[in-house]
């Protein structure tokens, strides 16, 4: 049995009390708690608006719809990410165009971006993978030069910063996930952040059947709403996010100090706040290490075992013969170790010692 899990939602009585209050109110669907959560989240990220959704996937879908992505368009993104970065591009009838990653940060390589831009390109979705900010300056510069919109996939990067700016406030939209393994959770849930008031209004309509007022519809909309139960959990979790993040950063530092002599530890780009959604090492004998960790009761994860361009769902949409050599190599070697705020000193020592024993055996 795994004793040290790869992730663990962190709750106390406050989340339980907040959920009980909503249940007692009898108003469970999108209501005052959602609006309060949106206001607080926008303030935390430093954007004028935040629009809560049912998941990170629907947040990305909503942002693409709001930015007018339609059949025939191309959207550039990284192939080394969770599938839900790219499936919303397909939901809009557009084509995902994958650009290989930087071998150090594992994020989209800005130097390879320009070559992928065509007259059909409408948007770029950089992903801040594992909580490490993507290279936003060159990405935004290129986007502006080619009149493209930028949607940040910040699903793993709550509280991360790039050159002093909050992730989710740099592109046209930021998209967050509050899935239970994330740095903060609402059970299931998501959020789109933006500074554009017109777009925020449009997104709020699109997520709720296009309803201006009850039964007054002015567009074809979706049900992408968050519930007040989820938002009540989110408000409490947001109040603890900085504390959680500091603990993740400290845990990551200890893991790195303990293991840097024996394995490829995570790189941190200059002038960023990496929030360590995952602590990911590179190890050629990954499978053996994973078994050794499991035998010691330590959970681990492979995020992600395949680059998206290798998955069957994307085969009809990519250029024949396309390859992403860096993403392919990295996906065969990455292994994420527990770094969540619930780890004790002993847990961290046990992880370090198990990794070292395996490598040095
Ligand atoms: C990078 C990335 N994008 C998108 C998503 C989708 O979020 P959700 O699971 O909340 O739909 C996730 C999380 O699972 C993610 O990690």
């Amino acid at each position: 049995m795994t004793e040290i899990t790869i992730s663990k939602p962190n709750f106390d009585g406050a989340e339980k009390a907040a959920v009980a209050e909503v249940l007692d109110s009898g108003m469970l669907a999108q209501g005052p708690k959602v609006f309060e959560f949106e206001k607080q989240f926008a303030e935390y990220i430093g954007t004028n608006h935040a629009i809560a959704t049912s998941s990170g996937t629907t947040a990305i879908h909503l942002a693409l719809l709001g930015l007018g992505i339609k059949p025939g368009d191309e959207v550039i993104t990284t192939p080394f990410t969770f599938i839900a970065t790219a499936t919303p591009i397909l939901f809009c009838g557009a084509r995902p165009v994958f650009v290989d990653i930087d071998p150090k940060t594992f994020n989209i390589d800005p130097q390879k971006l320009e070559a992928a831009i065509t007259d059909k390109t409408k948007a770029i979705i950089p992903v801040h993978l594992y909580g490490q900010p993507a290279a936003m300056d060159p990405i935004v510069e290129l986007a502006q030069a080619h009149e493209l919109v930028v949607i940040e996939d910040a699903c793993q990067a709550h509280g991360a910063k790039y050159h002093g700016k909050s992730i989710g406030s740099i592109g046209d939209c930021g998209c967050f996930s509050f899935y239970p393994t994330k740095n903060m959770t609402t059970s299931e849930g998501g959020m789109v952040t933006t500074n554009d008031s017109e777009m925020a209004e449009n997104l709020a309509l699109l997520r709720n059947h296009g309803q201006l007022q009850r039964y007054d519809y002015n567009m074809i909309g979706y049900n992408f709403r968050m519930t007040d139960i989820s938002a009540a959990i989110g408000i409490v979790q947001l109040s603890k996010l900085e504390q959680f993040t500091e603990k993740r950063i400290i845990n990551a530092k200890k893991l790195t100090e303990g293991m840097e002599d024996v394995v490829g530890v995570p790189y941190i780009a200059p002038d960023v706040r990496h929030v360590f959604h995952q602590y990911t090492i590179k190890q050629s004998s990954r499978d053996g290490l994973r078994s050794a960790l499991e035998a010691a009761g330590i959970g681990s994860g492979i995020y992600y075992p395949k680059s998206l361009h290798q998955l069957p769902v994307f085969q009809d949409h990519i250029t024949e013969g396309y390859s992403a050599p860096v993403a392919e190599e990295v996906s065969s070697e990455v292994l994420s170790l527990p770094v969540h705020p619930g780890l004790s000193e002993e847990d961290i020592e046990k992880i370090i010692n198990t990794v070292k024993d395996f490598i040095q055996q």
Side-chain angles (χ1 to χ4, degrees):
M1 234 229 1
T2 306
E3 293 151 28
I4 307 175
T5 51
I6 178 72
S7 65
K8 191 174 177 202
N10 210 303
F11 296 135
D12 58 27
E15 284 86 355
K16 287 183 192 157
V19 169
E21 188 196 322
V22 175
L23 293 178
D24 289 343
S25 78
M27 304 256 301
L28 310 189
Q30 177 178 288
K33 292 290 177 194
V34 168
F35 304 130
E36 191 184 330
F37 183 36
E38 289 177 336
K39 189 166 168 284
Q40 291 186 11
F41 199 79
E43 250 164 51
Y44 176 74
I45 299 298
T47 51
N48 294 334
H49 307 279
I51 298 93
T53 58
S54 52
S55 69
T57 309
T58 52
I60 297 169
H61 190 178
L62 189 67
L64 287 164
L65 290 166
L67 289 163
I69 303 303
K70 54 181 191 322
D73 292 344
E74 291 179 358
V75 178
I76 296 176
T77 192
T78 163
F80 191 56
T81 180
F82 183 56
I83 190 169
T85 301
T87 41
I89 302 170
L90 298 179
F91 301 157
C92 294
R95 188 168 93 89
V97 174
F98 297 115
V99 167
D100 207 357
I101 55 169
D102 175 303
K104 286 205 320 220
T105 63
F106 304 155
N107 284 324
I108 197 163
D109 186 341
Q111 296 194 15
K112 296 187 181 137
L113 255 178
E114 191 149 29
I117 297 174
T118 71
D119 54 7
K120 292 184 181 159
T121 310
K122 292 285 154 43
I124 306 173
I125 310 183
V127 179
H128 309 293
L129 197 75
Y130 306 148
Q132 162 111 277
M136 292 307 289
D137 279 351
I139 293 171
V140 169
E141 205 176 292
L142 260 181
Q144 282 171 352
H146 293 268
E147 294 181 20
L148 310 176
V149 293
V150 176
I151 300 170
E152 294 178 67
D153 181 339
C155 287
Q156 302 187 0
H158 320 65
K161 289 203 160 76
Y162 175 83
H163 298 185
K165 290 186 207 144
S166 284
I167 287 308
S169 73
I170 304 169
D172 296 85
C173 284
C175 299
F176 293 83
S177 163
F178 305 118
Y179 187 72
T181 57
K182 298 296 195 267
N183 290 24
M184 61 172 281
T185 185
T186 61
S187 71
E188 294 270 9
M191 192 75 82
V192 183
T193 48
T194 182
N195 281 318
D196 183 331
S197 302
E198 211 175 298
M199 183 153 63
E201 252 173 60
N202 195 26
L203 296 185
L205 285 177
L206 275 168
R207 104 167 130 199
N208 188 20
H209 301 295
Q211 270 187 120
L212 278 172
Q213 282 167 13
R214 194 162 254 231
Y215 308 129
D216 177 9
Y217 314 97
N218 78 338
M219 61 172 82
I220 297 174
Y222 297 75
N223 176 358
F224 285 169
R225 293 181 307 251
M226 178 181 275
T227 67
D228 258 22
I229 301 171
S230 295
I233 301 172
I235 291 166
V236 179
Q237 288 269 298
L238 182 60
S239 72
K240 301 175 184 172
L241 179 61
E242 276 303 297
Q243 197 185 310
F244 290 163
T245 305
E246 284 305 319
K247 190 81 200 306
R248 281 180 183 273
I249 292 170
I250 290 168
N251 289 348
K253 191 159 180 267
K254 287 180 185 158
L255 289 168
T256 290
E257 282 166 4
M259 298 187 306
E260 62 193 344
D261 293 342
V262 295
V263 285
V265 294
Y267 166 79
I268 305 176
D271 199 13
V272 303
R273 186 190 197 205
H274 184 327
V275 292
F276 287 99
H277 170 57
Q278 297 295 349
Y279 182 91
T280 304
I281 60 171
K282 255 181 89 183
Q283 174 59 34
S284 50
S285 51
R286 167 178 80 186
D287 295 342
L289 175 56
R290 214 174 173 208
S291 304
L293 288 161
E294 198 183 341
I298 300 167
S300 62
I302 298 174
Y303 312 110
Y304 296 89
K306 281 214 161 102
S307 177
L308 294 189
H309 73 279
Q310 299 171 308
L311 300 182
V313 265
F314 297 108
Q315 291 318 301
D316 291 343
H317 307 281
I318 57 174
T319 312
E320 216 187 308
Y322 173 78
S323 72
V326 183
E328 285 165 35
E329 193 236 86
V330 166
S331 61
S332 68
E333 292 194 348
V334 284
L335 185 66
S336 298
L337 305 175
V339 71
H340 59 81
L343 296 179
S344 65
E345 283 295 329
E346 295 78 59
D347 293 338
I348 292 172
E349 246 170 66
K350 189 171 172 185
I351 296 166
I352 294 169
N353 291 335
T354 308
V355 171
K356 278 179 132 173
D357 287 349
F358 174 80
I359 308 272
Q360 289 168 342
Q361 74 193 345

